[in-house]
Amino acid sequence: MTGKDVPGLQEAASVIPAGTKINVTFLGNEDLEMRVAASKAVKDLGFVPVPHISARRLKSQDQLEEFLGRLQEVGATEHVFSVGGDPAVPEGPYPDSLSVIRTGILQKYGVKEVSIAGYPEGHPDIKDDVLWRHLEDKSAALKEQGLDAVILTQFSFDTDPVMGWIKDVRSRGIDTEIRIGTPGPAGIKRLLGFARRFGIGANAMIVKKYGFSLTNLMGTAGPDRFVSDLSALLGKDEAAGPVKLHFYTFGGLRATSEWVAEYRAAQA
């Protein structure tokens, strides 16, 4: 959710299981008060806030500590997501999420678990060898500091690169829990727009496999086939280790939450 999504969260709260992790963004058009208020709302409604720390948007160590201090006041620092962020040029001393982790400041404010980013289909602006080196370095740094880790991935429409990437992660000796980014139900044009923005494969063959057609852009699509196929593939691969889902609520918090509830009921 973004800092503006508190009303949407309140509307969806009755459909979301208690204790669900809910990530709270750190966008350029949000301020400290919005981010803290959103994290507090998540906590107050019985869920687990996972506020983002956007390294390249931080102007100083003081800003980082002010943010963490305010989050700690509302009980929202145990879980955070340390990510590089969008600015091409860092606005302060932190060029990437690893530099934030290495400060040792997170533990000072009660952080126990840090999510880090994974990119099964690569990153449009970062070379693959750099991505892998950073993933290994962040995993090692968190282990050295005694912090729990979660790898939270960019969303995908295709299980093949996801499974191949999970295999590569495990081959590097990283046994951290992985949460696979999964688009919640949303308009097809909206999903494709996000895919283009983040460099996600979305050609005709892939989206047909996912369950929608490029000839019907006015419709909506959900991740039913993707989740079912991924579950089946993971069930055959004992080496995959712990894997869960992370939903991107492009179509809204309530729509995604209702889809999850309906899918679970159908599986049961």
Side-chain angles (χ1 to χ4, degrees):
M1 62 176 286
T2 71
K4 300 176 182 177
D5 286 336
V6 172
L9 176 64
Q10 292 169 336
E11 179 191 9
S14 63
V15 195
I16 304 174
T20 295
K21 288 181 177 178
I22 299 180
N23 283 47
V24 180
T25 56
F26 194 114
L27 302 179
N29 60 356
E30 299 170 347
D31 59 23
L32 175 64
E33 300 305 324
M34 291 176 65
R35 296 167 188 144
V36 174
S39 296
K40 183 179 186 300
V42 172
K43 179 79 171 180
D44 289 347
L45 287 167
F47 311 121
V48 177
V50 186
H52 291 195
I53 300 173
S54 183
R56 297 167 76 86
R57 293 192 189 281
L58 293 168
K59 294 178 174 58
S60 66
Q61 178 178 318
D62 287 345
Q63 185 184 9
L64 171 60
E65 295 211 46
E66 180 187 21
F67 181 45
L68 289 169
R70 291 288 305 280
L71 289 173
Q72 189 175 40
E73 290 174 2
V74 299
T77 54
E78 287 195 7
H79 306 262
V80 299
F81 177 36
S82 182
V83 65
D86 294 332
V89 177
E91 297 177 14
Y94 307 115
D96 49 45
S97 59
L98 179 60
S99 60
V100 172
I101 292 168
R102 282 178 169 166
T103 63
I105 290 171
L106 300 180
Q107 301 95 310
K108 176 180 173 182
Y109 291 92
V111 174
K112 296 181 179 178
E113 178 188 271
V114 179
S115 295
I116 55 179
Y119 300 92
E121 297 187 53
H123 190 289
D125 301 319
I126 306 174
K127 293 181 179 179
D128 284 353
D129 62 329
V130 176
L131 289 175
W132 282 117
R133 186 172 70 251
H134 274 237
L135 184 64
E136 291 172 334
D137 288 348
K138 284 183 282 190
S139 297
L142 291 171
K143 187 171 290 187
E144 290 169 4
Q145 294 181 29
L147 292 169
D148 293 332
V150 172
I151 301 174
L152 195 157
T153 82
Q154 185 56 274
F155 70 92
S156 181
F157 294 131
D158 189 356
T159 55
D160 290 342
V162 169
M163 290 300 299
W165 180 84
I166 291 172
K167 183 176 180 180
D168 287 343
V169 171
R170 301 311 185 203
S171 72
R172 286 168 163 78
I174 300 173
D175 56 5
T176 300
E177 177 185 292
I178 296 172
R179 299 177 75 91
I180 297 298
T182 306
I188 293 171
K189 287 182 69 173
R190 184 173 177 81
L191 289 172
L192 292 177
F194 277 105
R196 284 192 293 269
R197 177 181 172 186
F198 295 115
I200 306 302
N203 62 39
M205 181 183 71
I206 290 172
V207 297
K208 183 177 180 181
K209 179 180 177 181
Y210 184 78
F212 61 85
S213 170
L214 290 175
T215 62
N216 180 26
L217 297 182
M218 301 307 293
T220 60
D224 306 61
R225 186 180 300 179
F226 176 82
V227 173
S228 295
D229 290 351
L230 183 62
S231 177
L233 291 168
L234 289 169
K236 300 175 184 177
D237 188 352
E238 294 182 0
V243 178
K244 296 183 179 181
L245 300 178
H246 170 79
F247 286 97
Y248 289 83
T249 57
F250 298 132
L253 286 157
R254 186 171 183 89
T256 298
S257 303
E258 289 177 341
W259 179 89
V260 172
E262 292 167 3
Y263 184 87
R264 279 178 163 163
Q267 297 305 304

